[in-house]
Amino acid sequence: MFFLNQAGTVLEMGFIYAVVALGVYITYKILDFPDLSVDGTFPLGGVVFAVLLTAGCPWPVAMLASFAAGCLAGLVTGVLHVKLKINGLLAGIITMTALLSVNYLIAGGPMVSFSQESTMLQNGLTDGLPRLGSAYVQVAFTLLLLAACKVLLDLFLKTKSGFLLRATGDNPQMVTQLGKNIDNYKMLGLSLANGLVALAGSLYCQYNSVFNSSMGTGTVVIALACVIIGCVIAKHIRVMKDTTGVIIGAVIYYAILTVAMLLLGSDYTQLIVAVLFVLVLVFDSGLIGRAVKKLFRRKKEGGDVRA
């Protein structure tokens, strides 16, 4: 029973952070843009959802509003970067810092609880089920939304605008030669990415039935780790799309994080996240692979000498 509970938690949280990772994939892998505003737009989506839901707004509308709020926040980062010529890293930090106050003002305090309200994850269908059954129904709902986000993103990237968005990160000169403004596509990518992040923030709040102003801490680190793991997996499985790899990477990362927290305790969560991120970066750089090859080479050479 304990294993089933933990597995359900890993899957649901992995799927939620997979939505975040899909957004970060757009900025990190497609645009090659260091967007740190994610730590602000994740709780922004949560607070917009929580406030609208408690005001009597239906949850589908509240989730769409969360997505729109994230898109607006991403657009602000884009405007700071492309119109005001502020460094991309600093533009994201400015937006993230501003959102700390904006989120608090929207919430009217550090927390907003909506445990009695009907949401996508807490509704009449889940209320009548046992706790374990309810948890896995929530996993299924989260997976359906994640699948919709992935399919829509894949379809968008196949369009002309999606092609130009990818070209903006890979070959901006070509976009300019085609008579297109790369600044517009940067803002489009940042808006779409942060919209997905904010949508994931609304999902995270539904999972906990409460908005907490500190819920965005470390989100960008976790999402980057998921993206890196996913892209490494997709690179070695040629038939797999990067977006699919990102989803798998999110589940793997959260499974490792959960095991580490069970062994060390939740008090060390941020330290565990930091250490895992370092390990992911080292793995992505190929340092581990080179070290293993070097070790085997030394053993082989030692065996040849003894022979």
Side-chain angles (χ1 to χ4, degrees), residues 21-42:
L22 287 176
V24 173
Y25 168 77
I26 296 173
T27 54
Y28 177 70
K29 294 296 290 185
I30 295 179
L31 288 179
D32 192 22
F33 186 93
D35 184 22
L36 296 184
S37 58
V38 169
D39 276 15
T41 50
F42 186 71

Side-chain angles (χ1 to χ4, degrees), residues 5-62:
N5 284 328
Q6 292 300 319
T9 300
V10 166
L11 288 174
E12 187 162 8
M13 293 302 297
F15 292 156
I16 290 173
Y17 275 99
V19 179
V20 181
L22 287 176
V24 173
Y25 168 77
I26 296 173
T27 54
Y28 177 70
K29 294 296 290 185
I30 295 179
L31 288 179
D32 192 22
F33 186 93
D35 184 22
L36 296 184
S37 58
V38 169
D39 276 15
T41 50
F42 186 71
L44 173 66
V47 70
V48 169
F49 177 85
V51 169
L52 288 178
L53 190 71
T54 53
C57 185
W59 63 261
V61 178

Side-chain angles (χ1 to χ4, degrees), residues 93-251:
I93 292 174
I94 291 170
T95 303
M96 176 190 68
T97 304
L99 286 175
L100 294 176
S101 295
V102 171
N103 294 339
Y104 192 90
L105 289 172
I106 294 174
M111 296 180 66
V112 178
S113 177
F114 50 89
S115 58
Q116 302 303 315
E117 304 290 340
S118 177
T119 67
M120 188 184 82
L121 300 183
Q122 297 286 348
N123 50 56
L125 180 61
T126 59
D127 290 342
L129 295 174
R131 183 176 179 180
L132 186 60
S134 176
Y136 276 92
V137 170
Q138 291 178 6
V139 170
F141 286 154
T142 308
L143 178 59
L144 286 174
L145 182 62
L146 171 60
C149 291
K150 178 207 172 333
V151 170
L152 291 174
L153 179 59
D154 286 341
L155 291 175
F156 170 73
L157 292 176
K158 291 180 180 178
T159 64
K160 181 180 178 181
S161 295
F163 170 77
L164 291 171
L165 178 65
R166 285 181 290 170
T168 298
D170 292 335
N171 192 352
Q173 292 81 11
M174 185 188 72
V175 179
T176 303
Q177 290 172 359
L178 291 173
K180 303 296 182 179
N181 190 335
I182 62 173
D183 290 345
N184 292 337
Y185 288 97
K186 283 184 179 179
M187 290 189 289
L188 172 63
L190 286 166
S191 295
L192 180 59
N194 283 280
L196 287 171
V197 172
L199 180 64
S202 71
L203 272 176
Y204 185 84
C205 280
Q206 292 178 60
Y207 174 77
N208 293 302
S209 297
V210 64
F211 161 77
N212 191 310
S213 59
S214 63
M215 63 180 261
T217 305
T219 302
V220 67
V221 174
I222 296 174
L224 279 173
C226 297
V227 170
I228 293 171
I229 294 172
C231 288
V232 168
I233 293 172
K235 184 169 65 175
H236 288 84
I237 304 176
R238 294 183 179 180
V239 296
M240 181 181 291
K241 292 184 177 180
D242 281 350
T243 50
T244 304
V246 165
I247 294 172
I248 296 172
V251 176

